[in-house]
Amino acid sequence: MSLNETSQKIIAINAGSSSLKFQLFSMPDEVSLCQGLVERIGLADAIFTMKFNGQKVSKTISIANHQQAVDMLLTSLIEYRIVADLKEIQGVGHRVAHGGEYFPDSAIINDDTIEKITRLSDLAPLHNPVNLTGIHAFKQALPDAKAVAVFDTSFHQTMAKPDYIYPIPYEYYRKHGIRRYGFHGTSHKYVANHYAEMIGKPIADLNLITCHLGNGSSICAIKGGESVHTSMGFTPLAGVMMGTRCGDIDPSILPFLAEKESLTLSQLNEMMNSRSGFLGVSELSHDCRDIQQASKTNQQAKLALDMFVERVRAYVGQYLVKLGRVDAILFTGGIGENSTDIRESVCCSLEPLGIFVDVNKNRSKSTIFSTQESSISLAVIETNEELMIAKDVMRVSL
Ligand code: AMP
């Protein structure tokens, strides 16, 4: 039986190094049955949280590894009568960080898929091995369910070569696959498609700029539903400045600092990934809400905020040029969805380009917050990567 014939239960999984997020859907009606999170996996005081039917359960227990986390979540689905039998779960969608050039689309998980995801661990050492742990744990627990890998990189495989090759010796692309891959693909794709559905136009007819602004941020230029450029690169460190990540900087800062501060490569990597961005500039916090609050009195927090807005604007400007005609600029992610001030700062300065913000609509959290006169629509779309993963399980396993 194909998955599409009747209503099916599909679970979307996002495994991190010490966490496992999940959401169970009834598909194709797209109803969320429950969602939850296992945190601090590997510790005696791991935390399991699950929300369903307006209820919330939370337990602190010892969870040694991802297999135990998966077993615990499946047991809880039965215990709280979300499913009567685990066989009801016919599909599992796994978020996988890096699909390299192997996966321009989501893929059914088989030995070949697993072998390729393993091979790509070199490019995403912190993520792909953990994603594989989740895949193996579910294979063990639900051997009959269809398993699908949904890659953060797939959506951006439509970029043209001049947009993804770096101007360094070409042999490093050939030998090591060094190129722009882009990330957050599931979110950019979801938001773009959701907007097209919302306004009742085919995605193929739309040119969009999607701004996923959160702890990690990336911007994407989408032409007719296909990514043509995105701000993240070989890794999710590139592009706009983020919570703790620096985004684009002059690469020669690294050898300079290595010498002056006697930093090793791994210390430099840690500096750029964990001690930069909002945190590095403000010397206060990585969290945008904290920075916004502090910016009223603290100059460095204000500087961090101004830099963030400026860097988002720079990409929006670049993508307006890249796309030529743009129908809408879409905002998503924790900052994009919630910070009216940042949306306003980014968009108000675009007035010379005929882009006009309706300040009242923006502040009253209206989905579309541009004026009637604006040549380009501005909209806030709540991202839903888990639903996109569940939809891909249905599509790919037909
Ligand atoms: P995410 O990684 O998408 O979960 O986004 C997390 C970021 O969103 C954090 O920096 C939060 O401070 C930020 N955020 C959430 N709510 C707001 C808000 N109301 N105003 C500004 N930033 C927010």
Side-chain angles (χ1 to χ4, degrees), residues 154-396:
S154 293
F155 183 57
H156 305 298
Q157 279 293 301
T158 43
M159 284 186 290
K161 208 160 190 177
D163 292 318
Y164 68 71
I165 295 291
Y166 288 114
I168 58 173
Y170 195 81
E171 66 170 302
Y172 298 135
Y173 167 61
R174 246 189 335 256
K175 266 169 53 184
H176 305 295
I178 292 182
R179 51 160 284 178
R180 180 187 306 276
Y181 289 101
F183 297 85
H184 284 150
T186 312
S187 177
H188 290 295
K189 183 176 169 185
Y190 174 83
V191 166
N193 282 286
H194 188 87
Y195 177 76
E197 275 168 33
M198 191 183 86
I199 62 161
K201 282 203 177 155
I203 185 84
D205 294 348
L206 295 174
N207 286 354
L208 303 168
I209 298 174
T210 47
C211 304
H212 179 116
L213 310 179
N215 253 330
S217 294
S218 70
I219 323 254
C220 185
I222 304 175
K223 194 178 185 110
E226 294 189 342
S227 167
V228 292
H229 206 283
T230 189
S231 58
M232 282 180 170
F234 177 57
T235 71
L237 179 59
V240 293
M241 144 188 179
M242 310 180 210
T244 58
R245 284 173 253 172
C246 57
D248 296 338
I249 58 170
D250 181 339
S252 63
I253 292 169
L254 301 178
F256 182 89
L257 274 182
E259 206 178 305
K260 293 280 180 201
E261 299 268 326
S262 306
L263 295 177
T264 62
L265 284 178
S266 89
Q267 285 170 324
L268 287 169
N269 212 17
E270 190 267 339
M271 179 275 286
M272 292 188 294
N273 277 288
S274 312
R275 291 194 290 120
S276 297
F278 279 140
L279 176 65
V281 177
S282 71
E283 298 185 302
L284 283 175
S285 170
H286 70 276
D287 189 281
C288 185
R289 275 165 300 195
D290 295 345
I291 297 296
Q292 281 189 309
Q293 184 58 30
S295 67
K296 293 172 188 156
T297 51
N298 180 299
Q299 284 309 308
Q300 263 173 260
K302 169 131 189 5
L303 173 66
L305 211 52
D306 290 347
M307 285 169 62
F308 179 72
V309 167
E310 201 45 45
R311 279 159 187 250
V312 172
R313 268 166 37 82
Y315 269 102
V316 169
Q318 181 183 332
Y319 290 166
L320 286 169
V321 173
K322 176 99 189 145
L323 291 168
R325 190 205 86 224
V326 172
D327 296 283
I329 304 174
L330 311 177
F331 289 83
T332 195
I335 300 172
E337 289 166 28
N338 298 305
S339 178
T340 48
D341 288 353
I342 288 184
R343 286 200 305 270
E344 213 166 291
S345 304
V346 169
C347 300
C348 279
S349 54
L350 302 174
E351 280 186 6
L353 300 169
I355 301 169
F356 298 108
V357 178
D358 183 322
V359 174
N360 290 331
K361 280 191 184 161
N362 183 39
R363 292 189 185 164
S364 61
K365 300 190 169 37
S366 167
T367 302
I368 300 214
F369 64 97
S370 44
T371 64
Q372 291 281 353
E373 297 73 41
S374 186
S375 58
I376 294 176
S377 297
L378 303 168
V380 183
I381 308 284
E382 199 179 323
T383 194
N384 194 338
E385 290 166 281
E386 290 76 16
L387 177 57
M388 193 75 234
I389 291 172
K391 283 170 118 172
D392 266 16
V393 174
M394 297 293 286
R395 181 175 59 82
V396 169

Side-chain angles (χ1 to χ4, degrees), residues 137-155:
F138 267 92
K139 204 171 156 63
Q140 182 98 3
L142 299 176
D144 298 329
K146 288 243 189 323
V148 171
V150 180
F151 301 91
D152 279 9
T153 48
S154 293
F155 183 57

Side-chain angles (χ1 to χ4, degrees), residues 13-21 37-41 66 69 130:
I13 300 298
N14 185 355
S17 55
S18 64
S19 68
L20 192 131
K21 258 198 224 168
L37 173 66
V38 190
E39 293 167 278
R40 300 168 61 82
I41 295 172
H66 283 75
V130 185

Side-chain angles (χ1 to χ4, degrees), residues 4-194:
N4 258 358
E5 279 169 22
T6 54
S7 177
Q8 308 286 334
K9 291 192 176 75
I10 307 287
I11 193 162
I13 300 298
N14 185 355
S17 55
S18 64
S19 68
L20 192 131
K21 258 198 224 168
F22 61 94
Q23 191 161 0
L24 181 69
F25 292 94
S26 168
M27 299 293 285
D29 34 323
E30 303 183 4
V31 174
S32 170
L33 302 174
C34 78
Q35 58 180 301
L37 173 66
V38 190
E39 293 167 278
R40 300 168 61 82
I41 295 172
L43 299 175
D45 57 347
I47 304 167
F48 173 85
T49 322
M50 188 164 78
K51 290 186 202 158
F52 57 100
N53 282 339
Q55 296 180 54
K56 181 175 172 180
V57 289
S58 186
K59 295 179 193 172
T60 303
I61 48 162
S62 172
I63 298 180
N65 50 43
H66 283 75
Q67 185 70 57
Q68 279 189 15
V70 170
D71 292 343
M72 160 106 205
L73 97 81
L74 292 174
T75 309
S76 302
L77 294 182
I78 300 278
E79 186 183 339
Y80 294 100
R81 303 197 179 160
I82 295 158
V83 296
D85 188 323
L86 292 178
K87 289 203 169 68
E88 288 173 35
I89 303 174
Q90 293 191 305
V92 187
H94 294 272
R95 179 180 183 179
V96 178
H98 219 305
E101 292 186 334
Y102 294 125
F103 298 105
D105 197 358
S106 303
I108 300 238
I109 295 173
N110 52 30
D111 290 346
D112 180 56
T113 317
I114 289 178
E115 203 265 314
K116 286 174 175 152
I117 297 173
T118 309
R119 218 183 292 162
L120 288 164
S121 291
D122 248 9
L123 299 183
L126 299 180
H127 296 102
N128 275 26
V130 185
N131 300 151
L132 280 167
T133 310
I135 289 172
H136 290 306
F138 267 92
K139 204 171 156 63
Q140 182 98 3
L142 299 176
D144 298 329
K146 288 243 189 323
V148 171
V150 180
F151 301 91
D152 279 9
T153 48
S154 293
F155 183 57
H156 305 298
Q157 279 293 301
T158 43
M159 284 186 290
K161 208 160 190 177
D163 292 318
Y164 68 71
I165 295 291
Y166 288 114
I168 58 173
Y170 195 81
E171 66 170 302
Y172 298 135
Y173 167 61
R174 246 189 335 256
K175 266 169 53 184
H176 305 295
I178 292 182
R179 51 160 284 178
R180 180 187 306 276
Y181 289 101
F183 297 85
H184 284 150
T186 312
S187 177
H188 290 295
K189 183 176 169 185
Y190 174 83
V191 166
N193 282 286
H194 188 87

